Amino acid sequence: ASSNAGSLTSAFLHDPLLRTLMPNEEAFRTLGRRTLATLTWALDASYGLTDVICDEAGDVVCTALWEPAGMTCGALCRFVLMSLWMVCVLGLRRAFCVAGMLLAFETRRHQHAPTAHHLQLLGTRQSEQSRGVGSKLIQVGIRRAEKLGLPCYLEASNERSVPFYKRHGFKVVETYYHFEGGVDGDGNRIVGRGPVVTLMFRPLGGVAH
């Protein structure tokens, strides 16, 4: 989980959504990394749908975290523990900010794709980006879902990644501004509408663009 968290921290260092949760870069490099490590543990221990690509030294350079449509009892227990951990480590305000965002995402996921395999996160270490690593890894999860006869779903937290997901057969089903009219993780008032989250769905066989 630690190596996965390192690649994800690098991948999302400039992500508009996650940096709204943790605007301070130093805080993101420390608390953000620990949060991503905890999320990786919770998802991987619950579902075993974590895919990685490593470099020659064995370090993780790309991570994909998937989950099925339904939550198991074990997953529920782990996410309760994760919620308590967030309150203790991130503080009450930031923990509620994260929890509120995830709840809003889950509500929309069940509206748009109640049976789909859900790509929670896909991140490639900055030094390995634009080399086809992410494309190779996302196809592992897509093929797994296709074999089960299931669609796929994700929330793109950076507008720049939307064309990438479209190339892999996803289509936009909603654009969502979670922080509009609210505050960031540090309590600062959001200017404008805040970061956009693009909700995307991939039916069986994908969508041709």
Side-chain angles (χ1 to χ4, degrees):
S2 177
S3 183
N4 288 341
S7 68
L8 289 172
T9 303
S10 172
F12 290 100
L13 183 61
H14 302 294
D15 182 82
L17 184 69
L18 296 189
R19 290 307 303 275
T20 300
L21 290 169
M22 294 185 187
N24 181 275
E25 183 172 325
E26 183 178 350
F28 183 78
R29 289 182 181 277
T30 54
L31 295 178
R33 182 187 178 107
R34 294 173 66 185
T35 303
L36 290 168
T38 304
L39 177 64
T40 300
W41 163 78
L43 288 170
D44 188 51
S46 299
Y47 306 118
L49 299 178
T50 301
D51 304 312
V52 300
I53 291 178
C54 299
D55 60 16
E56 294 181 355
D59 295 324
V60 175
V61 298
C62 187
T63 302
L65 300 175
W66 294 83
E67 63 177 342
M71 179 176 283
T72 64
C73 291
L76 179 60
C77 292
R78 291 184 185 93
F79 279 99
V80 168
L81 289 174
M82 181 177 173
S83 298
L84 295 173
W85 177 89
M86 286 196 300
V87 170
C88 294
V89 176
L90 302 182
L92 196 59
R93 179 178 59 202
R94 194 173 281 154
F96 272 111
C97 190
V98 173
M101 183 186 73
L102 293 179
L103 180 60
F105 286 177
E106 279 297 288
T107 299
R108 283 164 171 79
R109 177 168 75 95
H110 286 288
Q111 291 172 352
H112 293 300
T115 64
H117 269 200
H118 179 209
L119 179 57
Q120 275 273 12
L121 288 175
L122 172 66
T124 304
R125 193 170 66 192
Q126 289 186 16
S127 61
E128 299 296 323
Q129 290 177 3
S130 300
R131 297 185 179 183
V133 180
S135 290
K136 182 179 179 180
L137 196 59
I138 195 174
Q139 283 299 320
V140 175
I142 289 174
R143 287 194 297 268
R144 180 167 53 225
E146 291 265 331
K147 287 181 180 179
L148 295 172
L150 296 173
C152 298
Y153 177 82
L154 60 87
E155 300 95 0
S157 57
N158 193 325
E159 288 181 280
R160 293 185 302 172
S161 66
V162 172
F164 166 84
Y165 292 120
K166 284 184 175 181
R167 289 197 298 272
H168 291 280
F170 286 83
K171 64 177 180 179
V172 176
V173 292
E174 183 184 350
T175 52
Y176 173 57
Y177 294 84
H178 177 73
F179 287 97
E180 185 175 11
V183 297
D184 64 21
D186 287 345
N188 303 308
R189 182 63 57 183
I190 295 294
V191 177
R193 304 187 72 183
V196 61
V197 182
T198 307
L199 312 184
M200 305 187 73
F201 176 76
R202 185 186 189 279
L204 286 172
V207 176
H209 293 281

